[in-house]
Amino acid sequence: MKGGTPPRARGHCFFAPSLCRRQEEGWGGVLFATSHKPRSAPGYASPCLQSLLSIKGCRMRKGMIRRACVTLLMMSSISAVAAEKRGFDVLHYTTTLDLDIAAGEVHGEQVVRFRAADAPLQQLVLDSGALVVASAQHNGRPLAFAQENGRLIINLAEPLQAGKESSVELKYQGKPAFGLEFAAARNEVYTIFSTSQWMPSIDAPDERATLELALRLPKELLATAVGDALPSRDLGGGRMEHRWHLRTPMPGYVYGFAAGPYRHVQQMHGKTRLNYYAVDRSQAELQQVFTATGGMLDFFADRAGLAYQGDYSQALVARTIGQEMAGLSVMSEAYGQRVLDDPSQLALMAHEAAHQWWGNRVTCAGWEHFWLNEGMANFMTAAWLQQSQGEAAYQTMVESWRTRVQALRAKGSDRALVYPDWNKPSADDRAVVYQKGAYVLHRLRQTLGEEVFWRGLREYTRANDGRSVVTADFQAAMETAAGHSLQPFFDDWVYATGGEL
């Protein structure tokens, strides 16, 4: 796609089959709309550059040509992220949504506060999916705007000087085909990726902003969302306004919420408040499904060298492959039932919890470095299973990764982990990111040994908390821990496809 938000795509199961019994709605290597990165997004490589950096051109194992290809690919992965500048930085969204579950409609009002970058800014360009914007204003003064290719282009009344802040007020409505799921039969609504389908925003992962979110819903519904809960307001007429404030800047794709006639369980784990929500589960069942949550958070915090921050909520919704958000994860009711049937089926839950560090707090700067989010979360899931369920659980996942990479190579579909572009990725591309990415981390762990590997991962995470990263950042941290260059390893396994299975 040349712009905007592409159609929804279903995921593919990237856990070991014994750990993820995928049903129709089951978890997989999730592909959300922003994975189909539009050409205007950060990190886009021209067709000419793509041909220069094609994996076929980097298959040589020896000599200067291979090294030159690897160097070119490394340079592209770094420079491409910085090449496309938006010209502004979104600082804060204030968003109010009036949700009609039966009609599948959303009406929104929003204030976007932003700052011009290093040059005067004349237009504010936001991703807006299929939303229909009714008005754009600044301090009550109408602004000219247009919508095309899934983007909202707002002409500012006068150029905003470099470094100066301003804001726009928007009113919009829509009936999203994806991104905002209305389960009318359950009187439930929840988000699944594609934030720009329910609020104009920036899809790219390198843009971080804070958020104030208000949801207007029938009084009988409970709601959970990203950020700290604020006091609700009675609107009269049987409706309530639920409010949250996300005070830590986060990428827009991890904004979200869930609302329905939920049963709710709250527990304390140390200083962390844990919340569990579901329609179909009893309170006792909710406690049983999510009993391992606190231990997961402790394990990941220890490996990251960063304590978990804030509350953590998990909701079982009508149907989803699973999604992490900032302090919130959603999984399906069917997945909850699988955990009740077999308490070892915790890989999906651990994967989404791992994203609270690797994906949310440390985020890939562009989708071409997506493996830093998903390969890392997959690997950390296996590491937690190793600690909680034993070595056999870890080795089962490792073998499934190795087998998938072997299959990719057999059909000629193996790719470098750093993509020159991430437009319309195939199931094999996603397998490279999720499964090969995790397998490469396992191989790096074997190469460096336990102490060096975990020290390097911890320093990488701590040094980049709240930042957007490229693969070179990870490599540098691991080399610092190792005390020597890891270029041959990264050349073979990350920037090309030469690693020996």
Side-chain angles (χ1 to χ4, degrees):
M1 296 195 49
K2 294 185 178 181
T5 308
R8 169 174 46 192
R10 296 191 183 275
H12 297 263
C13 184
F14 290 140
F15 287 135
S18 63
L19 297 173
C20 177
R21 298 171 185 166
R22 182 179 184 269
Q23 296 181 4
E24 183 181 0
E25 49 68 48
W27 187 86
V30 65
L31 170 65
F32 45 87
T34 48
S35 297
H36 295 274
K37 182 167 54 57
R39 294 191 178 194
S40 54
Y44 173 72
S46 69
C48 180
L49 182 57
Q50 291 178 46
S51 65
L52 284 172
L53 298 175
S54 68
I55 301 304
K56 290 182 180 179
C58 292
R59 288 188 186 276
M60 289 192 178
R61 296 296 310 280
K62 299 178 181 179
M64 293 178 63
I65 295 178
R66 176 176 175 270
R67 294 293 176 186
C69 283
V70 170
T71 301
L72 273 173
L73 202 151
M74 288 176 63
M75 291 172 61
S76 75
S77 71
I78 298 171
S79 62
V81 171
E84 294 273 355
K85 293 186 176 180
R86 282 179 286 276
F88 63 90
D89 180 27
V90 174
L91 303 175
H92 185 75
Y93 301 97
T94 302
T95 305
T96 299
L97 304 179
D98 200 313
L99 297 153
D100 187 332
I101 296 174
E105 292 182 350
V106 58
H107 292 257
E109 297 182 3
Q110 180 167 264
V111 178
V112 183
R113 183 162 56 86
F114 57 95
R115 179 173 53 226
D118 53 5
L121 180 69
Q122 295 183 320
Q123 289 184 328
L124 180 70
V125 182
L126 302 172
D127 297 300
S128 60
L131 294 170
V132 178
V133 176
S135 67
Q137 297 184 342
H138 172 64
N139 291 336
R141 178 181 176 183
L143 299 174
F145 67 92
Q147 288 186 270
E148 56 185 45
N149 296 322
R151 292 196 164 184
L152 170 64
I153 304 167
I154 303 169
N155 295 317
L156 304 182
E158 57 186 33
L160 182 64
Q161 296 305 304
K164 297 296 184 181
E165 296 183 13
S166 187
S167 63
V168 297
E169 304 97 41
L170 306 174
K171 292 185 178 181
Y172 59 92
Q173 62 183 357
K175 298 186 71 170
F178 61 96
L180 184 59
E181 299 288 329
F182 293 93
R186 289 162 51 98
N187 202 18
E188 183 181 40
V189 58
Y190 53 95
T191 57
I192 297 294
F193 317 114
S194 306
T195 299
S196 60
Q197 295 293 331
W198 51 272
M199 58 172 273
S201 54
I202 299 294
D203 283 337
D206 65 333
E207 180 66 64
R208 291 173 175 265
T210 52
L211 169 71
E212 289 176 83
L213 177 65
L215 304 179
R216 294 175 176 173
L217 294 158
K219 184 178 290 188
E220 66 270 17
L221 302 188
L222 292 181
T224 180
V226 298
D228 299 326
L230 303 176
S232 298
R233 297 193 304 174
D234 192 331
L235 301 176
R239 293 181 73 79
M240 294 287 292
E241 182 179 87
H242 304 270
R243 300 184 299 141
W244 298 264
H245 189 177
L246 180 62
R247 293 179 169 87
T248 301
M250 285 283 176
Y253 78 90
V254 296
Y255 298 167
F257 60 87
Y262 294 137
R263 293 184 177 92
H264 174 216
V265 171
Q266 185 175 102
Q267 296 179 324
M268 294 300 298
H269 180 76
K271 296 181 179 179
T272 302
R273 184 180 292 107
L274 303 176
N275 294 290
Y276 317 137
Y277 299 86
V279 173
D280 293 342
R281 307 273 75 87
S282 69
Q283 290 184 326
E285 287 174 326
L286 277 171
Q287 290 178 311
Q288 184 178 345
V289 168
F290 294 116
T291 187
T293 300
M296 289 177 185
L297 297 181
D298 289 345
F299 176 82
F300 296 135
D302 176 70
R303 292 307 193 204
L306 294 169
Y308 183 78
Q309 297 177 338
D311 300 341
Y312 185 53
S313 299
Q314 295 171 102
L316 300 176
V317 299
R319 187 175 186 270
T320 177
I321 53 178
Q323 187 200 351
E324 78 283 2
M325 301 176 225
L328 168 65
S329 294
V330 294
M331 290 150 275
S332 70
E333 292 272 16
Y335 173 73
Q337 185 60 56
R338 288 203 300 276
V339 175
L340 291 173
D341 294 339
D342 180 356
S344 71
Q345 297 294 310
L346 299 176
L348 171 59
M349 194 184 308
H351 181 99
E352 307 305 354
H355 272 313
Q356 300 304 314
W357 286 267
W358 302 281
N360 295 7
R361 293 175 68 166
V362 181
T363 310
C364 62
W367 301 119
E368 60 276 276
H369 299 275
F370 197 26
W371 82 279
L372 294 174
N373 287 20
E374 298 298 347
M376 186 71 75
N378 242 10
F379 171 79
M380 292 306 301
T381 296
W384 178 79
L385 288 171
Q386 182 182 35
Q387 182 265 345
S388 64
Q389 297 182 11
E391 184 66 22
Y394 178 75
Q395 293 300 333
T396 296
M397 291 195 73
V398 170
E399 181 58 23
S400 74
W401 302 334
R402 190 195 65 80
T403 300
R404 187 69 173 95
V405 175
Q406 192 173 46
L408 288 170
R409 290 186 175 183
K411 65 185 293 190
S413 297
D414 193 13
R415 297 282 302 270
L417 286 180
V418 179
Y419 276 63
D421 191 73
W422 187 251
N423 276 332
K424 298 183 179 179
S426 67
D428 286 341
D429 291 331
R430 297 191 290 275
V432 168
V433 165
Y434 282 77
Q435 291 187 285
K436 181 181 177 180
Y439 185 67
V440 167
L441 290 168
H442 163 72
R443 293 296 294 262
L444 184 60
R445 180 185 185 181
Q446 287 185 317
T447 298
L448 296 180
E450 290 294 287
E451 193 278 330
V452 172
F453 175 82
W454 290 113
R455 174 159 47 87
L457 182 63
R458 186 175 295 111
E459 290 309 308
Y460 161 74
T461 308
R462 288 169 60 91
N464 294 293
D465 187 20
R467 295 185 61 239
S468 299
V469 293
V470 295
T471 299
D473 295 313
F474 177 67
Q475 180 179 345
M478 302 310 288
E479 288 179 336
T480 298
H484 58 81
S485 173
L486 295 173
Q487 197 62 52
F489 180 93
F490 276 77
D491 284 352
D492 280 345
W493 283 105
V494 177
Y495 300 117
T497 60
E500 294 285 347
L501 289 176

